[in-house]
Amino acid sequence: VQLQASGGGLVQAGGSLRLSCAASGRTLSGYGLGWFRQAPGKEREFVAAIRWSGGTTVYTDSVKGRFTISRDNAKSTVYLQMNNLGPEDTAVYYCAAAPRVIYSSLGVSSSYAYWGQGTQVTVSS
């Protein structure tokens, strides 16, 4: 599976961005698609994920109510709509794909076998 992330940029606090991750190379049935982020000097952390079949979603607590993950089956693309952004959301965002993942493992980075390149999100205060 090849993943191509896009949509990052510079935005003021309170603003919004939508990240996209286009997948190719394999059908995504049974996969989980996730977003992770890594801020300077910090470890990579889970943000949100969606099971391709069924659309079940999971979020880390800090983004609940602000971020929405969704997918477009026809385009094999997963989106991360990010609203009410704050400086703490500044990071490089990565999309990833996890084959045959169970729901409880969607937030675990080791579940993900395929990673896209990162896209920078910078939120100014």
Side-chain angles (χ1 to χ4, degrees):
V1 177
Q2 290 80 47
L3 302 169
Q4 181 70 40
S6 61
L10 173 65
V11 64
Q12 290 187 333
S16 299
L17 283 175
R18 188 177 80 157
L19 305 184
S20 300
C21 178
S24 62
R26 184 168 297 193
T27 180
L28 296 175
S29 177
Y31 275 68
L33 275 290
W35 288 96
F36 291 75
R37 67 186 180 186
Q38 187 167 20
K42 295 187 177 181
E43 294 187 353
R44 183 172 58 193
E45 66 170 348
F46 169 74
V47 177
I50 186 169
R51 295 193 70 178
W52 198 260
S53 302
T56 308
T57 59
V58 61
Y59 299 89
T60 192
D61 286 346
S62 63
V63 307
K64 286 180 181 177
R66 300 189 299 123
F67 291 11
T68 302
I69 190 170
S70 62
R71 74 203 191 294
D72 185 324
N73 288 339
K75 296 182 178 180
S76 295
T77 298
V78 63
Y79 303 99
L80 186 68
Q81 177 66 45
M82 306 185 294
N83 298 328
N84 193 23
L85 286 160
E88 67 278 9
D89 297 313
T90 294
V92 177
Y93 284 70
Y94 299 90
C95 63
R100 300 179 302 278
V101 64
I102 60 176
Y103 180 79
S104 60
S105 295
L106 281 171
V108 180
S109 62
S110 59
S111 299
Y112 293 80
Y114 307 96
W115 292 82
Q117 91 292 359
T119 185
Q120 176 71 47
V121 172
T122 303
V123 185
S124 62
S125 58

